[in-house]
Amino acid sequence: MKDFIIDEDLLIIKGEYKDDPKGDFAIKDADQQNIEHLLLSQKGSYKEFPILGVGIKKYINSPDATSRLRLENEIDKQLSYDNFHVKTLDVNDLQNIKIDGNY
């Protein structure tokens, strides 16, 4: 999916022509960026979609398997809300969550 690219702020690219110094927003493939924002955001972060968001920070420090199962379920559910089709999902290593799928 193509979307605006955010790198601390909206990424701006210079204009194509010498007499167009202003430039425009960078629009590139943003699937990875969208998934990252979805995992980091809390429910209520998106006012138009108040149930969207995983809030992964609350799961990171929890060592028990029940929390990891809840996290896996929550990620799958939230990605589905965002029309992402999950093929495989692995949350066994919280520092390296593996998500395979597509929009």
Side-chain angles (χ1 to χ4, degrees), residues 27-82:
I27 297 177
K28 298 181 182 177
D29 184 40
D31 292 352
Q32 189 68 32
Q33 173 181 280
N34 291 347
I35 292 169
E36 182 181 336
H37 289 178
L38 185 66
L39 293 175
L40 292 172
S41 64
Q42 300 284 336
K43 286 182 179 20
S45 295
Y46 300 102
K47 300 304 180 199
E48 189 173 343
F49 306 100
I51 62 168
L52 192 64
V54 172
I56 197 167
K57 289 183 181 181
K58 67 183 174 188
Y59 294 97
I60 293 293
N61 296 326
S62 183
D64 65 0
T66 306
S67 288
R68 290 180 192 233
L69 289 174
R70 284 187 194 143
L71 174 61
E72 187 171 329
N73 184 40
E74 188 67 20
I75 290 172
D76 187 50
K77 181 172 58 171
Q78 293 297 324
L79 288 172
S80 294
Y81 287 157
D82 199 36

Side-chain angles (χ1 to χ4, degrees), residues 2-16:
K2 301 254 185 213
D3 203 350
F4 296 112
I5 301 301
I6 300 173
D7 184 23
E8 306 256 342
D9 198 359
L10 281 172
L11 187 60
I12 307 279
I13 54 175
K14 295 225 180 215
E16 292 183 39

